[in-house]
């Protein structure tokens, strides 16, 4: 029941947020990542999960070096993760 309610809240956010970021907070190990990954998979053409807990040095370098050039930044992420990102049709998750 709670999962369905939160999923409905995510759908409302998608409809009304107009591209604004969303921050999901809560206790550890309750399914936040699983829920948001499922949402990305079901509601977008593609999704990308960047897990900062895994300490991917190459991805960290992209953040440090290319945030002032977002076209290059997103191109590098696509190549690194082997995924196609489409404007307004892709969902990027920053985890931990």
């Amino acid at each position: 029941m709670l999962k369905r309610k939160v999923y409905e809240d995510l759908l409302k956010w998608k409809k009304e947020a107009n591209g604004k970021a969303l921050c999901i907070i809560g206790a550890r190990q309750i399914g936040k990542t699983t829920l948001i990954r499922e949402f990305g998979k079901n509601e977008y053409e593609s999704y990308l999960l960047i897990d900062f807990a895994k300490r991917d040095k190459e991805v960290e370098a992209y953040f440090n070096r290319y945030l002032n050039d977002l076209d290059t930044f997103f191109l590098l992420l696509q190549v690194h993760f082997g995924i196609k990102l489409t404007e307004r049709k892709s969902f990027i998750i920053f985890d931990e």
Side-chain angles (χ1 to χ4, degrees):
M1 177 68 172
L2 181 59
K3 180 180 174 183
R4 188 170 65 230
K5 168 70 171 117
V6 174
Y7 198 93
E8 288 171 6
D9 289 343
L10 290 170
L11 288 171
K12 182 179 177 186
W13 165 81
K14 181 182 178 193
K15 181 179 178 183
E16 298 174 358
N18 200 22
K20 293 182 182 173
L22 172 70
C23 181
I24 297 176
I25 56 174
R28 292 180 45 81
Q29 302 295 315
I30 61 168
K32 294 180 303 292
T33 301
T34 301
L35 177 66
I36 205 71
R37 183 183 293 139
E38 181 180 327
F39 178 73
K41 180 179 173 183
N42 294 338
E43 305 300 330
Y44 289 86
E45 283 184 12
S46 62
Y47 77 95
L48 171 59
L49 173 66
I50 299 174
D51 186 351
F52 292 108
K54 292 186 178 176
R55 302 287 305 188
D56 185 326
K57 297 291 185 188
E58 194 169 351
V59 172
E60 284 182 32
Y62 301 159
F63 278 90
N64 291 327
R65 194 163 182 200
Y66 295 105
L67 280 182
N68 61 340
D69 179 2
L70 292 179
D71 290 334
T72 300
F73 176 74
F74 288 116
L75 179 63
L76 290 169
L77 289 178
Q78 290 178 86
V79 171
H80 183 84
F81 289 100
I83 190 165
K84 179 167 176 34
L85 298 173
T86 305
E87 189 174 340
R88 303 264 184 229
K89 296 180 181 178
S90 297
F91 188 59
I92 301 176
I93 306 161
F94 300 108
D95 196 10
E96 300 267 342

